[in-house]
């Protein structure tokens, strides 16, 4: 691990300051789908999109968290898991894959951070195309192979 860290440090030419601005938060909020299932905070993306004062409050909260990690509420990165049937056969428990709904405000923040991280890794040529979780428009990752 130390060798990998050393190699990465040698490749990184510049580190730009990560600032959270209202414009970045608004841009991230606008691209979200309005009525996606929310997490335990129960706030739909629709309301983040429509209420500019709420977007400004998010920007302030994100800035506060960035400055002091102890400001992260314990409930914030917590998901709400539901079981949704894949088929009409409701008797078989295998037909109920768990779906975890994360808090919409948490997804907005991670979207802002992911944009910065992607730009940073691309500029320093340390991007790994296998990291689909940070690609814009990708909601998750899919393994290309399975371990037997």
């Amino acid at each position: 691990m130390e060798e990998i860290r050393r190699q990465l440090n040698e490749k990184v030419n510049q580190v730009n300051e990560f600032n959270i601005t209202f414009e970045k938060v608004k841009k991230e909020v606008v691209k979200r789908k309005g009525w996606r299932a929310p997490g335990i905070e129960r706030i739909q993306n629709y309301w983040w999109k429509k209420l500019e004062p709420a977007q400004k409050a998010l920007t302030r909260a994100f800035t506060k968290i960035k400055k002091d990690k102890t400001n992260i509420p314990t409930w914030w990165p917590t998901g709400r898991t539901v079981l949704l049937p894949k088929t009409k056969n409701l008797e078989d428990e295998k037909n109920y894959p768990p779906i975890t709904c994360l808090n919409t405000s948490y997804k907005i923040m991670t979207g802002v951070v992911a944009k910065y991280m992607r730009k940073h890794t691309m500029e320093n040529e340390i991007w790994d195309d296998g990291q689909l979780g940070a690609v814009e428009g990708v909601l998750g990752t899919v393994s290309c192979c399975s371990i037997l």
Side-chain angles (χ1 to χ4, degrees), residues 98-113:
I99 306 296
T100 301
C101 305
L102 298 173
N103 292 311
T104 53
S105 57
Y106 180 77
K107 289 190 232 177
I108 293 166
M109 174 62 169
T110 57
V112 171
V113 172

Side-chain angles (χ1 to χ4, degrees), residues 67-125:
K67 288 180 181 175
D68 181 5
K69 309 313 181 258
T70 62
N71 288 319
I72 299 173
T74 56
W75 60 267
W76 193 50
T78 304
R80 177 177 61 92
T81 303
V82 294
L83 300 174
L84 297 177
K86 290 190 294 187
T87 67
K88 292 182 180 181
N89 179 3
L90 303 179
E91 301 297 318
D92 189 357
E93 62 196 38
K94 292 178 185 164
N95 287 330
Y96 291 88
I99 306 296
T100 301
C101 305
L102 298 173
N103 292 311
T104 53
S105 57
Y106 180 77
K107 289 190 232 177
I108 293 166
M109 174 62 169
T110 57
V112 171
V113 172
K115 274 192 179 32
Y116 168 79
M117 294 300 296
R118 180 175 168 94
K119 183 177 181 219
H120 170 75
T121 56
M122 296 294 276
E123 286 174 353
N124 289 286
E125 298 179 1

Side-chain angles (χ1 to χ4, degrees), residues 13-39:
N13 298 318
Q14 66 180 38
V15 178
N16 297 324
E17 179 69 25
F18 172 57
N19 294 312
I20 299 170
T21 64
F22 172 70
E23 291 75 26
K24 289 177 185 175
V25 171
K26 184 171 185 68
K27 192 174 184 180
E28 189 62 32
V29 167
V30 167
K31 76 175 199 175
R32 300 279 166 187
K33 292 184 179 166
W35 298 107
R36 288 282 181 158

